Amino acid sequence: MCGNEGGSVFCRSLRVVTEGHQSMNWDQIYEWALWLVLGTSAVTFPALFFITLGYGRHDQGKSMLYVPSLPGWILMEAPSWIVFPLTFFLLGRHNREAVPLCFLAIWQLHYFYRGIIFPLRMRNRNKRKPVGAVIAGFLFTGVNGFVQAYAITNLSPHLWTPDWFADPRFIVGILLMLIGVSINIHSDSVLRNLRAPGETGYKIPHGGLYRWISAPNYFGEMIEWLGLAIAVWNVAGLSFFLFTVANLFPRALAHHRWYKERFPDYPPGRKAIIPGLI
Ligand code: NDP
């Protein structure tokens, strides 16, 4: 589309990036980024048993700077759906094969929901989000988008042949993803319907997996990324699953404690995150 010389500003910038790509050692950068995701998970998991990130119901008004919830959420998730396709098309050596393109479509579909549809449907427009949480989310989603797209298109030869579509790991992983997405979307919609437009308070959720656990939206999210990790079968996918657990498992326990402290009639048999267990 752009040719080798001249062209629009877009084409010239594209060439600078792709030519730079040949001289820079992107494999090395990928390794650092992967270690960053793994290291963040290793630190986050134990830390969040002692500190609860102060956004949503756990915000104690201690942050110096806040942004309105809607743009805050959109900004925080934007790198996911921008960095992934940029990495995929500009740095991916195997970006024309069917399986990587299928994962690109899955990723973009998820983040179209999470980054645009979900925040637009939130009922907490009047609330604020701490700037620190938005910056941390923004940085993480950018690094993670790069790591996932780079691994799929450059470092996972098993994904570059259509045979992978028939592999049990692909089939089981995609099924798990579908189950996780369904649980997550349904659970988020139960929460959304607890509030009338403009309301900001909290009520006890019922229905679906709320019968058994306090945070089925997080449970669904964890199943979803476990599914992706199995379907892509690479260390990058595993690192994102580990990060999701490190982030959401302790937060689910904090949500559960919070409900029990606030609502004397909270269902006594309900667990936090794993039905029947925890
Ligand atoms: P929460 O469950 O804390 O809140 C979800 C939404 O529902 C918020 O708008 C919240 O309002 C509202 N809400 C929650 N509980 C109640 C209640 N009892 N009564 C009325 N309204 C309620 O989820 P998060 O905001 O932490 O996450 C949102 C989504 O993003 C989830 O699906 C989660 O899985 C996903 N996510 C994924 C991450 C990952 O690492 N992959 C990281 C973080 C989130 P308010 O904001 O006012 O509390």
Side-chain angles (χ1 to χ4, degrees):
M1 178 181 79
C2 283
N4 289 330
E5 281 171 35
S8 63
V9 173
F10 173 75
C11 289
R12 288 201 299 276
S13 336
L14 192 67
R15 273 200 301 276
V16 168
V17 176
T18 48
E19 281 158 15
H21 150 49
Q22 282 145 26
S23 57
M24 270 179 88
N25 189 345
W26 285 101
D27 283 3
Q28 185 76 58
I29 293 172
Y30 161 82
E31 263 182 46
W32 292 338
L34 175 66
W35 278 113
L36 194 63
V37 175
L38 288 168
T40 308
S41 314
V43 173
T44 301
F45 187 64
L48 291 188
F49 282 95
F50 300 99
I51 312 157
T52 302
L53 294 179
Y55 73 90
R57 78 194 66 194
H58 304 289
D59 178 15
Q60 294 176 334
K62 288 186 183 159
S63 172
M64 304 244 290
L65 284 173
Y66 284 89
V67 286
S69 278
L70 178 63
W73 190 278
I74 291 178
L75 191 67
M76 188 174 80
E77 296 289 344
S80 297
W81 53 266
I82 295 173
V83 174
F84 190 104
L86 280 180
T87 306
F88 192 97
F89 288 115
L90 296 180
L91 304 178
R93 292 186 284 270
H94 294 268
N95 59 16
R96 303 243 166 115
E97 280 82 350
V99 177
L101 283 168
C102 169
F103 284 117
L104 170 72
I106 290 172
W107 187 270
Q108 293 301 86
L109 213 59
H110 171 87
Y111 280 103
F112 178 64
Y113 168 73
R114 174 66 68 229
I116 312 271
I117 305 288
F118 174 78
L120 284 176
R121 298 178 76 197
M122 282 188 314
R123 295 260 164 98
N124 61 356
R125 300 272 180 90
N126 302 334
K127 287 187 95 166
R128 313 164 306 164
K129 223 172 173 43
V131 167
V134 175
I135 293 174
F138 183 89
L139 293 176
F140 178 81
T141 53
V143 172
N144 189 46
F146 164 74
V147 165
Q148 303 305 323
Y150 195 84
I152 287 171
T153 50
N154 291 316
L155 304 168
S156 310
H158 56 286
L159 302 180
W160 306 334
T161 139
D163 293 350
W164 188 252
F165 284 130
D167 192 286
R169 287 163 289 187
F170 179 80
I171 296 165
V172 169
I174 295 295
L175 281 175
L176 273 177
M177 277 198 96
L178 288 174
I179 293 170
V181 169
S182 314
I183 294 173
N184 176 266
I185 291 183
H186 175 262
S187 309
D188 275 340
S189 81
V190 168
L191 293 180
R192 187 166 46 246
N193 291 325
L194 290 174
R195 287 178 179 158
E199 244 184 3
T200 52
Y202 294 90
K203 298 168 192 166
I204 301 177
H206 293 282
L209 264 69
Y210 286 100
R211 255 180 89 185
W212 297 290
I213 51 178
S214 295
N217 52 346
Y218 292 173
F219 177 70
E221 186 89 28
M222 295 194 303
I223 302 278
E224 181 181 351
W225 299 122
L226 172 65
L228 182 85
I230 294 172
V232 294
W233 205 252
N234 61 31
V235 68
L238 178 65
S239 74
F240 186 28
F241 167 62
L242 292 177
F243 174 80
T244 303
V245 174
N247 189 15
L248 297 185
F249 186 90
R251 193 166 177 84
L253 300 185
H255 275 18
H256 187 62
R257 274 194 308 274
W258 183 95
Y259 276 122
K260 287 172 84 165
E261 284 162 14
R262 299 281 178 314
F263 297 97
D265 55 338
Y266 198 66
R270 198 180 283 188
K271 300 288 181 188
I273 180 80
I274 313 276
L277 287 178
I278 304 168

